[in-house]
Amino acid sequence: MTVEILKKCAVYGAVVAVVGAAFCHHRIQANLASMDYYKKSVDEFRKHPVAVEAVGNPVRFRYMNLGRKDIQVDHERAQIVIPVRGSKTTGNLFSFATRQSLDEQWVLKELELEVESDKKRITIIKNDEDEVTSS
């Protein structure tokens, strides 16, 4: 094999690896965004006028940083951080949800928006009770 052929193989291999990694990252993010705890967090945020006004309409939700140590999800607990971008500023939506078993619905226990520009936190949901409430 010549050096030119090896160079082409290396370039094509690198392109395939980068495209494959980007596709996998997108699929993981799409899967997380389709989960009930994520959807409930976004819905409750959108219903809270003070939180929406703090970042400014229109609001967009960006990919989660999966390297964050405060993102933890298992079968009964979901603690996620959703990056938010509005017309005024950006922020992070901190969500904590639980469920008793796999066949039960997720219940939002805490939902807070941290506004990037002034580092203040706006509490959207704070449910310290152990009883299951529907939202």
Side-chain angles (χ1 to χ4, degrees):
M1 284 194 154
T2 66
V3 174
E4 292 301 317
I5 293 174
L6 290 175
K7 285 181 185 178
K8 286 182 182 179
C9 287
V11 168
Y12 290 134
V15 168
V16 168
V18 168
V19 169
F23 176 76
C24 287
H25 183 263
H26 173 74
R27 293 297 304 152
I28 290 169
Q29 293 287 345
N31 187 35
L32 285 169
S34 71
M35 301 304 282
D36 197 35
Y37 52 82
Y38 184 99
K39 289 179 182 179
K40 284 184 176 187
S41 299
V42 169
D43 288 344
E44 290 300 321
F45 168 79
R46 289 191 187 278
K47 291 180 196 174
H48 197 276
V50 174
V52 173
E53 180 61 29
V55 292
N57 256 327
V59 177
R60 295 183 52 194
F61 299 93
R62 299 167 47 206
Y63 280 156
M64 286 188 275
N65 178 357
L66 300 177
R68 289 183 68 130
K69 297 201 184 312
D70 52 355
I71 295 179
Q72 300 174 356
V73 178
D74 61 29
H75 298 295
E76 295 176 348
R77 296 171 18 109
Q79 179 178 318
I80 59 174
V81 181
I82 306 168
V84 177
R85 168 175 267 156
S87 60
K88 295 179 184 176
T89 187
T90 60
N92 287 309
L93 193 58
F94 290 86
S95 175
F96 178 70
T98 61
R99 64 180 174 183
Q100 298 297 317
S101 64
L102 292 175
D103 55 342
E104 290 189 18
Q105 294 290 317
W106 288 97
V107 177
L108 285 176
K109 295 289 187 180
E110 293 180 31
L111 186 63
E112 291 184 334
L113 173 69
E114 180 182 72
V115 180
E116 188 67 32
S117 60
D118 57 6
K119 296 293 184 195
K120 73 175 181 177
R121 282 203 178 198
I122 299 169
T123 301
I124 299 168
I125 293 176
K126 181 74 169 173
N127 184 1
D128 293 328
E129 302 168 8
D130 286 334
E131 66 187 53
V132 176
T133 58
S134 62
S135 48

